[in-house]
């Protein structure tokens, strides 16, 4: 079936996953060229764009009430008002923001972001810095919020997950709540599911997947096998508790809660870049790969849809550019951006695609 619903083009490479407004009607695309584009989820037309910044962006994240969009820059955090204005609201300096989106507490609206030099920062919705902590080692990815924002977990280059506990006033306690040691560097955030955190290691010698207890950071399990190359993606956990993760060895893996490997799916190019997501309704795992250089000299990436239960290919879609951004699932549609500046929306279900023709 023809699955493409619409396509849009932004001026430079898409930086991170596409984010959606709370009602799913507007999509926000951050670019490495330093702009944020608001696109209509229905057809991809541009609603508004932010003024160009001097630095490329990481993110974005959307405020819980949908009023603002937050992106990381080479020097701090920038807030932009939601569509239809896309106007600048404020900027907070703090250093080069780590890859991935900031985390927003849905109860208080507080934004947490990490900087590569080891900083974890807490900022109010109106741009006031609540606190900064700078003793967490080199950080390569954004934070994970646990227990209604009372615990903030970061992935450090010292092979540890570090947990910072907040008091009733939202201030960090002086001592770390716990640290959880893996066997490799951590380049992606951990994923929370129930009372567990899942994270993949990026080597240089350990390429395993780990599960830790939220309460004390104790290791619940690690995979009995290593992947063959770095894990730079964020794991996804579906409603049944199965864990999915992609590795730079070109494979997507599915594990049960007790670490049994259900299946692995390998891509032709040998490199899968994006983190996976699961469309629960269709039972499909979605992730992107870098693809290969075509006769036109351009990189042609792929978006893969894999049957969640069998691990067999369900469908693939080709688009210009490497697909490093995590796909966004919106009802029956999946949206993904590429480093060519292309943003595409696809029908996940082939029947829906045929009905739209």
């Amino acid at each position: 079936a023809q699955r493409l619903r619409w396509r849009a083009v932004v001026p430079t490479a898409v930086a991170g996953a596409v984010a959606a407004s709370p009602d799913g009607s507007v999509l926000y695309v951050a670019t490495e060229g330093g702009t944020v584009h608001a696109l209509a989820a229905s057809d991809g037309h541009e609603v508004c764009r932010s003024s160009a910044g001097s630095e490329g962006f990481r993110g974005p994240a959307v405020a819980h009430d949908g009023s603002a969009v937050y992106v990381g820059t080479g020097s701090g955090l920038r807030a932009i008002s939601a569509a239809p204005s896309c106007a600048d609201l404020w900027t907070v300096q703090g250093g080069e923001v780590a890859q991935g989106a900031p985390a927003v507490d849905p109860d208080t609206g507080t934004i947490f972001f990490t900087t590569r030099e080891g900083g974890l920062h807490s900022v109010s919705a109106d741009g006031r810095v609540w606190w900064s902590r700078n003793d967490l080692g080199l950080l390569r990815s954004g934070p994970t919020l646990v227990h209604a924002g009372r615990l903030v977990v970061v992935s450090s280059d010292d092979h540890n997950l570090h947990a910072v506990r907040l008091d009733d006033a939202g201030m960090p306690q002086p001592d770390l709540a716990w640290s959880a040691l893996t066997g490799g560097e951590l380049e992606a955030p951990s994923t929370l599911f129930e009372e567990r955190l899942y994270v993949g290691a990026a080597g240089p010698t350990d390429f395993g997947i780990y599960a830790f207890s939220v309460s004390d950071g104790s290791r619940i399990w690690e995979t009995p096998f290593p992947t063959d190359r770095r894990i730079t993606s964020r794991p996804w956990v579906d409603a049944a508790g199965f864990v999915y993760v992609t590795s730079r060895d070109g494979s997507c893996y599915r594990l049960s809660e007790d670490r049994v490997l259900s299946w692995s799916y390998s891509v032709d190019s040998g490199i899968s870049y994006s983190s996976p997501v699961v469309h629960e309704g269709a039972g499909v795992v979605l992730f992107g790969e870098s693809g290969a250089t075509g006769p036109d000299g351009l990189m042609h990436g792929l978006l893969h849809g894999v049957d969640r239960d069998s691990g067999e290919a369900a469908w693939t879609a080709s688009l210009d550019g490497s697909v490093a951004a995590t796909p966004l699932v919106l009802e029956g549609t999946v949206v993904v951006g590429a480093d060519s500046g292309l943003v595409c929306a696809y029908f996940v279900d082939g029947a829906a695609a045929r009905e739209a023709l």
Side-chain angles (χ1 to χ4, degrees), residues 50 54 139 250 314:
S50 71
S54 59
L139 304 179

Side-chain angles (χ1 to χ4, degrees), residues 125-243:
D126 58 1
R128 290 175 291 165
V129 178
W130 291 126
W131 52 264
S132 295
R133 184 161 183 163
N134 298 290
D135 59 349
L136 300 171
L138 180 66
L139 304 179
R140 296 190 181 185
S141 63
T144 302
L145 302 187
V146 181
H147 292 162
R150 291 298 177 87
L151 193 71
V152 186
V153 179
V154 296
S155 302
S156 175
D157 212 23
D158 65 3
H159 303 191
N160 277 283
L161 290 179
H162 295 304
V164 177
R165 195 178 305 280
L166 308 185
D167 62 22
D168 291 342
M171 300 303 291
Q173 296 182 353
D175 296 327
L176 290 175
W178 48 258
S179 291
L181 181 65
T182 70
E185 297 174 353
L186 304 178
E187 295 191 11
S190 56
T191 294
L192 173 67
F193 182 75
E194 295 180 344
E195 290 298 304
R196 292 184 180 186
L197 287 163
Y198 296 93
V199 70
T205 58
D206 183 353
F207 311 112
I209 305 160
Y210 293 81
F212 295 99
S213 167
V214 165
S215 61
D216 60 7
S218 59
R219 184 183 298 178
I220 298 171
W221 54 251
E222 63 180 284
T223 46
F225 64 92
T227 65
D228 291 333
R229 292 186 67 186
R230 296 183 300 150
I231 298 174
T232 58
S233 65
R234 188 174 197 171
W236 181 278
V237 186
D238 68 15
F242 286 96
V243 183

Side-chain angles (χ1 to χ4, degrees), residues 333-351:
T333 304
V334 57
V335 183
V336 69
D339 66 2
S340 62
L342 191 64
V343 183
C344 292
Y346 297 95
F347 291 103
V348 178
D349 178 27

Side-chain angles (χ1 to χ4, degrees), residues 198-347:
Y198 296 93
V199 70
T205 58
D206 183 353
F207 311 112
I209 305 160
Y210 293 81
F212 295 99
S213 167
V214 165
S215 61
D216 60 7
S218 59
R219 184 183 298 178
I220 298 171
W221 54 251
E222 63 180 284
T223 46
F225 64 92
T227 65
D228 291 333
R229 292 186 67 186
R230 296 183 300 150
I231 298 174
T232 58
S233 65
R234 188 174 197 171
W236 181 278
V237 186
D238 68 15
F242 286 96
V243 183
Y244 306 81
V245 67
T246 54
S247 166
R248 287 297 183 99
D249 65 4
S251 296
C252 179
Y253 298 88
R254 183 201 201 214
L255 299 110
S256 66
E257 284 185 295
D258 54 0
R259 77 174 189 166
V260 174
L261 179 66
S262 301
W263 49 255
S264 63
Y265 177 92
S266 298
V267 301
D268 290 339
S269 72
I271 301 177
S272 56
Y273 271 118
S274 88
S275 300
V277 300
V278 174
H279 190 290
E280 295 284 351
V284 175
V285 187
L286 300 149
F287 64 93
E289 73 161 297
S290 63
T293 303
D296 53 6
L298 300 175
M299 184 71 76
H300 295 271
L302 292 169
L303 176 65
H304 291 272
V306 178
D307 184 270
R308 175 179 58 185
D309 297 321
S310 70
E312 299 293 326
W315 55 270
T316 59
S318 177
L319 62 164
D320 293 339
S322 295
V323 183
T326 303
L328 169 70
V329 168
L330 267 177
E331 296 182 351
T333 304
V334 57
V335 183
V336 69
D339 66 2
S340 62
L342 191 64
V343 183
C344 292
Y346 297 95
F347 291 103

